Amino acid sequence: AARLVCLSRVEDKEEALKLVDVFRALDPQTRCALQSYLTADGIEQQGFVLCDCGAFLAASSSNAAVGLEPALRILLMVFEAAGKEFSASTTTVISVQLERLTSLAKDFIGSVNFQDIPVHLEVIGQAEARVIPKVWIPVTNPSVLATLRVRALEIA
């Protein structure tokens, strides 16, 4: 959890403790997997530097439609995708750019859970990748569907 607090770059102790509480509340399997990636040293195990992680966590925390728990679940998805993508690489430290994910977290108002948004990893160098969130979100909320239906009939 300490590594996560460092990555988040929170300056307020209360915010740091909130992040630690959310991390500790994750189910044991998710928490253990996330901790394994967070503590990878880049020497014995391949490590991933999550560029813009602090901004991503801040955006997720400040958007009620996202929240910290879904953000941590997305980070695990990113780590797993990077681990798979770079599994054959001899490079021990890989940088992963999160800017687009951060932008989505700021503006997200989807009708699905944030953590259910698929992410794609675009390799942009031998030791670098960019997270591309799939912004097409299926609408399943009945009230949103009803509103869209009414608007479509008005246009027709």
Side-chain angles (χ1 to χ4, degrees):
R3 176 78 175 128
L4 189 58
V5 170
C6 290
L7 281 173
S8 72
R9 297 183 177 180
V10 294
E11 297 176 359
D12 179 70
K13 185 175 181 177
E14 187 175 310
E15 286 297 313
L17 292 174
K18 178 180 169 186
L19 182 57
V20 169
D21 287 344
V22 171
F23 176 78
R24 288 182 178 158
L26 292 170
D27 63 272
Q29 184 178 1
T30 300
R31 187 176 60 247
C32 184
L34 189 55
Q35 185 171 342
S36 177
Y37 283 109
L38 289 168
T39 58
D41 61 13
I43 300 168
E44 297 296 323
Q45 320 95 320
Q46 192 173 51
F48 300 97
V49 176
L50 300 180
C51 305
D52 208 31
C53 188
F56 170 67
L57 290 171
S60 298
S61 180
S62 65
N63 184 342
V66 179
L68 284 173
E69 182 184 342
L72 294 182
R73 293 184 184 282
I74 286 277
L75 287 182
L76 179 56
M77 287 173 42
V78 168
F79 277 130
E80 290 173 341
K84 190 174 185 178
E85 186 66 45
F86 290 96
S87 63
S89 174
T90 58
T91 304
T92 58
V93 178
I94 308 294
S95 294
V96 180
Q97 306 294 331
L98 301 180
E99 299 93 19
R100 293 182 185 183
L101 194 56
T102 300
S103 294
L104 180 62
K106 286 178 185 173
D107 302 325
F108 183 76
I109 55 169
S111 62
V112 297
N113 294 325
F114 185 75
Q115 74 242 17
D116 295 333
I117 294 174
V119 295
H120 169 72
L121 213 61
E122 176 186 43
V123 176
I124 55 176
Q126 184 177 354
E128 190 172 8
R130 176 183 302 124
V131 176
I132 309 290
K134 304 284 184 159
V135 293
W136 180 85
I137 301 168
V139 177
T140 57
N141 182 317
S143 65
V144 172
L145 289 170
T147 301
L148 291 174
R149 190 175 305 112
V150 167
R151 289 183 182 163
L153 290 173
E154 289 172 356
I155 293 172

